[in-house]
Every structure is written in C-alpha cells, then in structure tokens.
Amino acid sequence: MKTYLKIALAFILSAPIAPAGEAVREERMTYAGAIFRVVRLEPKRVQLVWKDSEGKIFRSFDRVQADRNAKGETVRFLMN
C-alpha cells in the first residue's frame, strides 16, 4: 500500500489594499462549456507558501489562513 503526502501549496495575495495601478482584476470566462474564475494581478503581489515559520507543512488552506492571521496579514485569495 502506498501512502501519499498531502501538501497544500498556496499562492497567496496577502496585501489588504491594492495600491493604485495594481488592482486585482477578476472575471468569469467560459471555455469548452466550463466556467472559470480568472484573477489577474501583479506577480510581485503573489507569494508561494507551503511551510509555516517552524518548518511544518501547511497541508490545508485553513492552516495557511490561521498562520497569516496570527501574523496580522489578511489573505485575499488562495489557490493550489
């Protein structure tokens, strides 16, 4: 039996307010009959996280959210 490690890699937009000219643009698109949510923003506003400050793997978005909230940051968008 194989055991797989579940890892949550999260791209985080953590800035609470976008500076002028760096707004987050969101739209819905349809492709091949499927509806997608497309979020466009400046790449410098995106963070890739998978471990907390103690080196523990997050494994879930709830843990990412709790970690960032404890640091006084507001997570605006998460994806994996």
Side-chain angles (χ1 to χ4, degrees):
M1 172 188 246
K2 291 185 178 180
T3 303
Y4 294 94
L5 178 64
K6 181 180 174 187
I7 299 174
L9 289 175
F11 291 93
I12 300 177
L13 172 62
S14 61
I17 298 174
E22 292 189 30
V24 176
R25 296 172 308 280
E26 191 172 331
E27 60 186 289
R28 294 179 69 126
M29 298 180 76
T30 303
Y31 177 78
I35 298 172
F36 295 89
R37 176 182 174 207
V38 178
V39 178
R40 300 175 194 267
L41 59 128
E42 293 295 321
K44 65 183 176 185
R45 298 194 56 213
V46 177
Q47 299 173 27
L48 172 63
V49 298
W50 66 291
K51 291 183 178 179
D52 63 16
S53 57
E54 296 176 2
K56 295 179 185 173
I57 297 171
F58 283 119
R59 302 186 194 271
S60 74
F61 287 151
D62 290 339
R63 289 192 53 202
V64 174
Q65 184 79 34
D67 180 74
R68 296 301 162 146
N69 286 343
K71 294 176 180 175
E73 298 177 358
T74 301
V75 176
R76 306 249 329 256
F77 181 81
L78 289 169
M79 65 176 272
N80 64 1

